[in-house]
Amino acid sequence: MDDDVAAFVARARIRDCLVRLARGEDRRDAGLIRSCWWPDARYDYGVQAGDFPDYLAWVVPGSDAIANTQHLLGQSHIELAGDKARVETHILSYHRVDMGGGDQDMVIGGRYLDVLEERSGEWRIAHRIMLYDWSSDWGKAADWSKGLMGLPFAADRHAGRAQDDPSVAFFAEAAA
């Protein structure tokens, strides 16, 4: 039974790491991102590959052409082997991209293939490969200054911004 509990806790910590990283990428929060990768980690996203410092410099501050992103994580298949784990996580990533003629909304469906390692009781990514299963260009992005479905916003609710997202203040209140 103790092995089952240890495996349950390891899987929960691995999922927490992946969720924290998705938030860090969407908010372009270098501190959150660092908490999810080992400093000697490697990555390969197909369009960019290298070591963790390269990855961090790519994601933070990120491209000025990408105003916001949203990474939605699906199921994770986790195979534990001592202090290592191989994890496949399904992902949908949304990107609002300035293509030069106005913002476009794009969505990518794919999977992360991660090797995570536990060091001193902490699980982090040691290696990541991104697989792309499909992508879709949703066309011209909505103009939030006009509200939503004909109704104006009474407050700042059109979030999803990489920078200055209202969720940062929301969590900061809890920490204060």
Side-chain angles (χ1 to χ4, degrees), residues 36-66:
C36 303
W37 292 81
W38 292 114
D40 59 341
R42 309 265 324 153
Y43 75 99
D44 183 351
Y45 276 69
V47 295
Q48 178 107 4
D51 58 21
F52 175 70
D54 292 339
Y55 165 82
L56 188 59
W58 181 42
V59 175
V60 178
S63 170
D64 288 339
I66 301 175

Side-chain angles (χ1 to χ4, degrees), residues 61 64 85 99-100 103 120 123 138 141 145 149 163 171:
D64 288 339
M99 304 295 278
D103 289 343
S120 302
W123 287 94
W138 286 355
S145 69
M149 295 184 281
Q163 307 287 333
F171 285 109

Side-chain angles (χ1 to χ4, degrees), residues 98-175:
D98 179 354
M99 304 295 278
D103 289 343
Q104 298 282 122
D105 289 334
M106 304 183 75
V107 178
I108 298 169
R111 288 166 285 143
Y112 295 132
L113 299 180
D114 293 317
V115 175
L116 282 90
E117 293 178 2
E118 182 186 36
R119 301 178 190 174
S120 302
E122 188 174 358
W123 287 94
R124 293 186 189 190
I125 296 169
H127 190 259
R128 167 171 279 186
I129 295 173
M130 172 74 190
L131 300 178
Y132 300 90
D133 293 321
W134 57 269
S135 69
S136 180
D137 182 342
W138 286 355
K140 185 178 177 184
D143 180 358
W144 291 118
S145 69
K146 299 184 185 316
L148 180 65
M149 295 184 281
L151 300 172
F153 285 108
D156 185 10
R157 294 290 189 268
H158 55 283
R161 296 183 300 261
Q163 307 287 333
D164 303 320
D165 185 81
S167 68
V168 174
F170 174 78
F171 285 109
E173 279 180 25

Side-chain angles (χ1 to χ4, degrees), residues 79-109:
E79 294 187 3
L80 298 169
D83 59 359
K84 293 186 180 182
R86 290 186 175 272
V87 182
E88 177 189 59
T89 302
H90 289 252
I91 178 171
L92 291 177
S93 63
Y94 158 84
H95 303 270
R96 177 159 291 174
V97 183
D98 179 354
M99 304 295 278
D103 289 343
Q104 298 282 122
D105 289 334
M106 304 183 75
V107 178
I108 298 169

